[in-house]
Amino acid sequence: EEGDVTGHTIGNLLMTALWQKNDPTQALALLHDLLQVKGTVLPVSIQPAELHAELMDRTLIHGEHAIDEPHQDRARIRRIWLDPDPVPFHGVIEAISEADLLICGPGDVFTSIMPNLLVQGVAEAFTQSSAKKVLIMNQFSKKGQTFGLTASEHIRLFTHYLGEAPFTDILLPKPSYPTDVLLQERQRGLMPVEQDYEAMREAGYQLHPCDIIVSQQKEYARSDMVTRCSLMYDTTKLWEAIDSI
């Protein structure tokens, strides 16, 4: 719980270790074998790049962790960019172009999802694809990122990078949270995302409310410094919901 790797997930540490000892293609092959992955996992890019953000008050913030975990209340994020401008890993654009189904989320919008769309050619390939495009809506909005935004406002954030109507379908977790859980999450800087169905329907999206949340709260290690929701997605129910679209 102390030292240079404090707060990093085991997955990130594992990938970093393999990356340092092997070339990217070799590292990916080792990960596939180690984790018994079905299918193919591709990094969007292997070129080092730093994430930057400009807030509504024109303040600039540099680095993913500083953007993700604000130490105090601040203005909302206006835009993000990567520097340098990374090129995609080989096969990424082709995989997006040939896919039957493209899925975004769940995850922190500005630090987990959108940075992938900033890599050269990725947003264009996503927009031009004829695949079904599904956004899995977050349960909670997070301080420093999308705190207080409704579901339709979350979707609107993507239009800056993907153009109008970036998705065909929206998968919405049915909100049913005990009062004590809501209070606990609010104290941690999280707020339930208001699901404004009418606004989303008017925008032309197919909506899929689903019971996909695990009822039992997850406890994280004290060394995990990232603010995370304690209510997790049920992976089996989530896949069944996606498969039914």
Side-chain angles (χ1 to χ4, degrees):
E1 295 186 357
E2 297 179 356
D4 293 339
V5 299
T6 300
H8 290 279
T9 64
I10 187 65
N12 286 345
L13 294 174
L14 182 60
M15 285 190 291
T16 300
L18 289 173
W19 227 257
Q20 289 176 344
K21 298 292 184 182
N22 306 273
D23 69 69
T25 304
Q26 218 175 5
L28 282 171
L30 288 169
L31 271 176
H32 275 76
D33 293 342
L34 181 64
L35 302 177
Q36 299 182 342
V37 172
K38 295 179 181 179
T40 304
V41 176
L42 296 174
V44 68
S45 178
I46 59 171
Q47 181 180 344
E50 186 174 33
L51 183 65
H52 304 268
E54 180 186 16
L55 306 184
M56 290 297 186
D57 61 5
R58 304 297 181 177
T59 300
L60 299 181
I61 301 177
H62 309 288
E64 178 185 349
H65 188 69
I67 296 167
D68 199 27
E69 295 291 317
H71 296 295
Q72 57 189 11
D73 290 340
R74 69 182 189 203
R76 283 208 180 111
I77 294 172
R78 179 173 178 267
R79 67 185 181 101
I80 57 170
W81 70 96
L82 294 172
D83 185 39
D85 187 16
V87 297
F89 187 66
H90 60 79
V92 166
I93 302 301
E94 292 78 7
I96 295 172
S97 302
E98 296 168 6
D100 298 315
L101 179 66
L102 296 170
I103 302 169
C104 285
D108 289 337
V109 173
F110 288 109
T111 51
S112 293
I113 302 175
M114 282 191 184
N116 298 287
L117 303 174
L118 300 179
V119 173
Q120 293 178 34
V122 170
E124 291 81 0
F126 189 99
T127 302
Q128 293 167 11
S129 170
S130 58
K132 277 197 171 185
K133 299 164 188 173
V134 179
L135 174 65
I136 303 174
M137 185 60 62
N138 287 339
Q139 307 172 65
F140 288 79
S141 60
K142 180 177 176 179
K143 274 195 175 179
Q145 295 228 16
T146 59
F147 192 72
L149 296 187
T150 66
S152 67
E153 289 169 336
H154 275 77
I155 297 168
R156 205 170 300 132
L157 292 173
F158 287 90
T159 64
H160 297 296
Y161 304 92
L162 297 174
E164 292 300 316
F167 305 104
T168 56
D169 299 78
I170 312 297
L171 203 155
L172 298 153
K174 289 183 179 177
S176 179
Y177 310 117
T179 304
D180 60 330
V181 171
L182 287 177
L183 179 60
Q184 177 184 321
E185 299 299 72
R186 173 74 81 146
Q187 290 172 341
R188 298 172 62 242
L190 300 169
M191 175 190 286
V193 174
E194 178 191 342
Q195 298 181 1
D196 49 344
Y197 290 96
E198 194 58 38
M200 289 184 282
R201 288 194 186 98
E202 287 178 1
Y205 298 111
Q206 294 293 316
L207 307 182
H208 305 272
C210 302
D211 181 18
I212 53 176
I213 305 302
V214 176
S215 57
Q216 184 176 357
Q217 289 181 272
K218 179 178 176 60
E219 292 186 10
Y220 292 96
R222 286 183 302 161
S223 58
D224 190 344
M225 295 180 175
V226 177
T227 301
R228 306 179 193 275
C229 178
S230 63
L231 293 169
M232 307 298 292
Y233 291 82
D234 184 310
T235 53
T236 300
K237 289 182 179 179
L238 182 57
W239 172 244
E240 290 172 351
I242 292 170
D243 196 40
S244 68
I245 293 176

